Amino acid sequence: MTMPTKAQIFEHWMDWLDKRGFDWGEPCCWACKRDLDDKYDLNKPSATREEIIKNWERAPLQRCHIIARQFGGEDTPDNLFLMCKSCHDRAPNTKSREAFLDWVERQDYTALVQEDIMRELRNFDLLDRIDDVNEMLADKELMKRFFSNSGFHMNQARGGAEITLSSIFVQIAEELKRRK
Ligand SMILES: [Zn+2]
């Protein structure tokens, strides 16, 4: 069996996703539910089922095995799951479909981002300035500048060309030093 396409995998999971409140027209990671760039959204209310399914092929999501290949998991749509790179990297290698789906249900993008931020606060020795950092993270203009300084194109595919949080924290640390 050849590896199913992302569209084929999506088609298999459509009802499952619908029951969990996913918007078929806005591809996102099925684990953490993080939004992708708007350009992957299907902005067409009159889209046919076929167009909706086809649109998922464009999304920069990865095909992840539920039961790992090494445990006999097959390359079939029911054993494949679409996730962002970050979730795929963290996904459990398991023989149990239930355990995998249980792990999936517990993923939360906001919590993951918070954990990442806490790690960078420690890395940059900024734990005592958490209020200042939060204020900066909420400053849209400032963040826009930091993101563009990092050479990241907001419109580029989120394949692997994603900006690291540490790139932003380097600038936050510098800015805090300037403001002190
Ligand atoms: Zn994810």
Side-chain angles (χ1 to χ4, degrees), residues 28-34 61 83-88 90 107 109 112:
C28 71
C29 171
W30 295 354
C32 72
K33 303 181 182 69
R34 76 191 286 177
L61 295 167
M83 293 195 283
C84 68
K85 182 180 185 301
S86 157
C87 286
H88 196 176
R90 287 179 299 102
Q107 300 311 300
Y109 185 57
L112 290 170

Side-chain angles (χ1 to χ4, degrees), residues 30-96:
W30 295 354
C32 72
K33 303 181 182 69
R34 76 191 286 177
D35 285 323
L36 304 172
D37 194 295
D38 290 348
K39 72 172 181 167
Y40 299 108
D41 294 351
L42 188 63
N43 292 314
K44 195 179 171 195
S46 64
T48 63
R49 181 184 161 97
E50 203 176 10
E51 285 171 319
I52 291 168
I53 291 171
K54 216 175 137 197
N55 182 55
W56 280 76
E57 205 53 52
R58 303 192 303 139
L61 295 167
Q62 302 188 347
R63 295 171 291 187
C64 176
H65 285 86
I66 294 178
I67 305 219
R69 264 213 195 103
Q70 70 198 98
F71 299 137
E74 292 185 72
D75 296 342
T76 48
D78 71 310
N79 191 46
L80 289 160
F81 205 79
L82 300 183
M83 293 195 283
C84 68
K85 182 180 185 301
S86 157
C87 286
H88 196 176
D89 288 346
R90 287 179 299 102
N93 223 28
T94 176
K95 296 176 188 178
S96 162

